[in-house]
Amino acid sequence: MSSMQQIDHGQSLTVQVTNMLRAAITSGEMGPEEHFSAIGLAEKLGVSRTPVREALQLLEKEGIVRIEKNRGVRVLQMSLDEIVQIFQIRIILEPPAAARAAEVATDEDLANFRTLHGRILEAAAREDGPGTLQADKDFHLFLMELAGNPRLLALDGELRNMVLAHGLVTIPSARSSQDLANDRKDILAALERRDPRAAAGAVRDHVTRTAHLLISGVCARTPGLSADEYLSQLEQLTRFSR
């Protein structure tokens, strides 16, 4: 099924178009090998060019696409060095935020975590790779939100969006959607116990495993690239955050 379906005009067009374009990039429907026009995308979505242009501007600010004058829009292909840098930042920032979330989580928050985790499991059961990744993002952004730092939340969301399209290389070649879903059971258990140290450790382990799988997956698809070099770069900075 196409990621860019006809949309519901009862909701914000710009938000819907942004989400659909991001989903199309995540699924590989929009790849870095070709250019796309705002007119063509608008026709495919059944909307005017204005919300499409606004959505593309938002995606450009996130570093996902580049708007090229007289050529259209191109999906940016991130380098492995950039992917390593993003995961270095996430490994440094997310564990202490998770620890804080474990300290302040209410019973209602824990119920929401269980709901969000359930959505991950449901998407995984359908072998819906993009859906699993989006549900995973929703789970982690709620975790970051509880840390009470809006700038951290915005930064983490931006970093996730920048590498989301590459996440599909870990499903199912390196692990199944179900494996990915099960990978945050330790996080949920630590939150349920309201154990800050365990929550921080579980998040750090989860993000590190994701980085290893993604880097290894990209290298496996690219002749001549060795994952060892990039995994070593990841460790050079993140080892000080333990």
Side-chain angles (χ1 to χ4, degrees):
M1 180 181 295
S2 171
S3 301
M4 295 188 286
Q5 306 170 48
Q6 296 295 307
I7 67 177
D8 179 359
H9 292 269
Q11 299 180 10
S12 166
L13 290 178
T14 299
V15 170
Q16 287 188 81
V17 171
T18 302
N19 290 338
M20 287 186 176
L21 292 179
R22 186 180 288 118
I25 294 168
T26 300
S27 68
E29 185 177 346
M30 291 177 63
E33 66 282 350
E34 60 182 308
H35 285 79
F36 301 88
S37 71
I39 295 175
L41 293 171
E43 290 177 350
K44 191 167 188 177
L45 291 171
V47 299
S48 68
R49 281 174 281 180
T50 298
V52 173
R53 285 171 175 163
E54 291 173 350
L56 292 173
Q57 288 170 358
L58 290 172
L59 293 174
E60 185 176 45
K61 288 180 180 179
E62 294 178 4
I64 297 175
V65 304
R66 176 181 295 138
I67 301 173
E68 300 179 347
K69 188 174 181 179
N70 300 324
R71 298 193 66 190
V73 176
R74 186 169 64 87
V75 177
L76 293 180
Q77 180 70 51
M78 295 188 66
S79 70
L80 271 174
D81 285 324
E82 290 172 311
I83 292 174
V84 168
Q85 291 163 21
I86 286 172
F87 273 100
Q88 285 177 331
I89 295 170
R90 285 186 54 194
I91 291 170
I92 291 170
L93 292 182
E94 291 188 21
R100 178 57 180 163
E103 286 185 329
V104 302
T106 65
D107 290 343
E108 183 179 353
D109 292 330
L110 293 175
N112 192 39
F113 274 122
R114 288 189 287 270
T115 297
L116 292 170
H117 188 244
R119 291 175 186 169
I120 300 173
L121 296 176
E122 290 170 3
R126 297 192 303 268
E127 290 298 325
D128 178 0
T132 304
L133 290 170
Q134 182 59 50
D136 171 68
K137 177 185 172 184
D138 294 340
F139 180 95
H140 284 278
L141 288 184
F142 182 63
L143 182 64
M144 295 299 101
E145 182 179 353
L146 290 184
N149 187 320
R151 288 184 180 273
L152 185 150
L153 175 64
L155 175 60
D156 194 70
E158 182 178 328
L159 294 174
R160 285 176 175 277
N161 286 337
M162 291 172 70
V163 297
L164 191 59
H166 295 275
L168 288 179
V169 304
T170 71
I171 307 171
S173 59
R175 55 180 172 176
S176 67
S177 294
Q178 193 63 51
D179 289 336
L180 189 148
N182 290 337
D183 197 31
R184 66 206 38 68
K185 281 185 175 179
D186 289 344
I187 301 174
L188 186 59
L191 293 169
E192 296 274 12
R193 298 196 307 272
R194 293 184 169 86
D195 185 335
R197 188 175 296 277
V203 165
R204 189 185 195 284
D205 290 345
H206 168 67
V207 178
T208 301
R209 280 193 298 272
T210 300
H212 278 235
L213 286 167
L214 194 147
I215 291 167
S216 298
V218 171
C219 288
R221 298 189 309 172
T222 310
L225 278 184
S226 170
D228 292 342
E229 173 187 350
Y230 295 96
L231 294 176
S232 176
Q233 289 180 25
L234 183 73
E235 178 69 12
Q236 287 171 6
L237 184 59
T238 58
R239 63 191 174 92
F240 296 109
S241 66
R242 292 190 179 92

